[in-house]
Amino acid sequence: MLAGKDKSGGGNPMTKLRKFTFPILIGIFLLVLLACGGEKKSEGLSFKFQYACINRTLDPCELLAAPGGMVDNIRERTNGQIVIEISSFPELGLAGPDTLRLVADGTLGMVEIYSGYIGGDLPIVDVANLWGVIGDIGTNWKTIEAVQGPIHKIIEERSNGIVLGESYYGNNYYYAAKALRSPDDLKGMKIRSHSTVLGDLINGMGGDAQFVAFSEVYTALERGILDAAVTCGPCGAGLRWFEVADYLNGPIISIGVTYITVNKDRWDEIPADLQAIMKEEAMAHQAENRRLVEDVWDPLGITENVAGGMEFVEFSQELKDALKQASIDVVIPNWVDRNGGPGSEAVTMFNDLVGPIVGVTIDANGKAIAN
């Protein structure tokens, strides 16, 4: 046995301290590395987007660009690190149906995707707004809310995009050279449509649906190429359609929904703190847009067109009933066919989420049945 050995195992206190201190320091160092290398930091980074609106004159686009609107607030809250410039489809030479593809391939970094424009290629997105079947604004909001989650997911998958929020357009009207007081008044009229389901409604009422770009409608009405055109009240007033049409007939209950969409590859470059700001401001825009549609824009759409010289002719009950019947007989069955038949995901979504709200069921043969 060695003399002087400390049998208690105490040893040198400084040696023991070093044994514990080194691992602690290593642990702290690793934590710092993780903190620095984990979430992407936003300092020194900047991002610029060109947001393509359908048209600058439309209220939702003006709201986005207004002082205190989404674009302004994002720039201020990110200290200029994210700048969004507003453009429009006519300026960029865009056709609405191309927007899904152009976001997917990165040609467009940020765009307004309208369900009506992409409904030919992706008909499921029209599930909440099958023209003619919805009787009032409150019901329309319920259908929109019922399908928001699944529709956002579908658009994101098809566009390689991220849906930040929605914009809304109010009820639509027939801008026409004559008053529409009965279903017979629509027969044979060449009428501008801006979506596949609206075209089905026009044809189902005996008219002849024509797809004409929004920016070209004024000239088509002026030259008699069109007998009438359908759009929201403020939308037509913004392009002074009251100068080339005498009667504002309607409304067709039909809140237009568009999706504020960012290319996913561009989105993934943005740090999480800046992404959060963009999402918050998009949702604030969505809420304010919804309020304005009901409280301001819809009533103002009638007022502005009447002030421009039009006569407002509210639909008779006979016309309202005929619109709903055309939707049941033509709009919904055609939509079912475009989605692949009664066994499709779209029909299941309608029967589960929308049908109970509007009082219509699609049966096993693809026929719409009023409950």
Side-chain angles (χ1 to χ4, degrees):
M1 180 180 293
L2 294 173
K5 174 84 174 173
D6 184 354
K7 293 184 174 66
S8 67
N12 189 324
M14 291 303 296
T15 302
K16 291 180 67 177
L17 181 60
R18 284 195 294 271
K19 287 182 180 178
F20 287 105
T21 301
F22 186 70
I24 290 170
L25 290 173
I26 290 294
I28 292 172
F29 180 68
L30 290 173
L31 286 172
V32 171
L33 284 178
L34 285 171
C36 293
E39 192 172 280
K40 191 185 297 181
K41 296 298 181 182
S42 61
E43 291 88 348
L45 300 177
S46 62
F47 305 89
K48 188 173 183 178
F49 290 91
Q50 185 177 59
Y51 181 71
C53 283
I54 293 173
N55 194 291
R56 285 180 183 272
T57 67
L58 301 180
D59 287 325
C61 188
E62 291 187 342
L63 178 63
L64 285 166
M70 187 188 88
V71 170
D72 196 30
N73 288 347
I74 288 174
R75 184 182 65 252
E76 286 193 9
R77 290 185 61 193
T78 64
N79 296 314
Q81 288 181 264
I82 294 183
V83 174
I84 300 170
E85 295 182 349
I86 297 291
S87 187
S88 67
F89 288 14
E91 292 169 87
L92 298 173
L94 298 180
D98 293 336
T99 48
L100 278 177
R101 176 181 58 79
L102 293 174
V103 175
D105 66 17
T107 301
L108 293 175
M110 191 173 188
V111 68
E112 178 178 24
I113 294 180
Y114 170 44
S115 58
Y117 285 166
I118 64 171
D121 295 327
L122 192 60
I124 193 172
V125 296
D126 288 318
V127 64
N129 205 6
L130 292 168
W131 288 68
V133 77
I134 298 170
D136 60 81
I137 287 284
T139 299
N140 207 163
W141 285 124
K142 289 177 182 177
T143 63
I144 291 168
E145 292 164 356
V147 301
Q148 270 176 339
I151 292 301
H152 285 195
K153 183 177 179 181
I154 288 167
I155 289 176
E156 288 178 343
E157 290 172 349
R158 284 292 296 269
S159 68
N160 184 38
I162 298 295
V163 175
L164 299 184
E166 297 178 347
S167 290
Y168 304 112
Y169 294 77
N171 290 322
N172 278 237
Y173 297 82
Y174 288 91
Y175 285 74
K178 66 178 182 179
L180 305 177
R181 304 189 188 278
S182 75
D184 288 340
D185 292 330
L186 285 157
K187 296 189 184 305
M189 291 181 68
K190 297 188 295 295
I191 302 171
R192 181 257 181 171
S193 168
H194 51 73
S195 76
T196 306
V197 285
L198 172 57
D200 286 341
L201 181 69
I202 291 170
N203 294 333
M205 295 286 289
D208 181 9
Q210 310 275 322
F211 187 87
V212 177
F214 183 66
S215 59
E216 298 173 4
V217 173
Y218 184 103
T219 302
L221 286 170
E222 184 179 38
R223 295 179 178 176
I225 297 169
L226 292 173
D227 300 312
V230 177
T231 194
C232 69
C235 303
L239 288 188
R240 305 180 69 84
W241 288 7
F242 48 72
E243 296 177 345
V244 289
D246 297 323
Y247 294 91
L248 185 73
N249 303 277
I252 309 171
I253 304 299
S254 51
I255 299 168
V257 183
T258 64
Y259 305 93
I260 302 168
T261 307
V262 180
N263 171 269
K264 188 176 185 302
D265 296 331
R266 293 289 310 278
W267 178 254
D268 288 342
E269 295 172 355
I270 302 172
D273 57 336
L274 302 184
Q275 288 179 344
I277 291 172
M278 292 181 73
K279 287 180 178 178
E280 288 169 9
E281 290 301 330
M283 293 306 295
H285 163 81
Q286 178 177 305
E288 178 64 2
N289 192 157
R290 174 169 173 165
R291 183 190 71 79
L292 289 169
V293 162
E294 289 198 68
D295 297 345
V296 180
W297 295 345
D298 257 5
L300 191 61
I302 297 174
T303 302
E304 288 179 338
N305 282 297
V306 170
M310 299 188 79
E311 179 181 338
F312 173 49
V313 179
E314 190 170 3
F315 281 157
S316 64
Q317 190 59 50
E318 180 187 13
L319 254 174
K320 292 177 183 178
D321 293 342
L323 286 168
K324 183 171 183 178
Q325 196 59 50
S327 185
I328 289 172
D329 292 343
V330 180
V331 174
I332 297 177
N334 285 359
W335 177 78
V336 171
D337 287 344
R338 286 195 297 274
N339 277 288
S344 65
E345 176 189 4
V347 171
T348 299
M349 189 184 298
F350 178 89
N351 282 338
D352 288 349
L353 302 176
V354 175
I357 299 172
V358 300
V360 173
T361 301
I362 299 171
D363 69 14
N365 297 312
K367 184 178 179 182
I369 308 294
N371 300 333

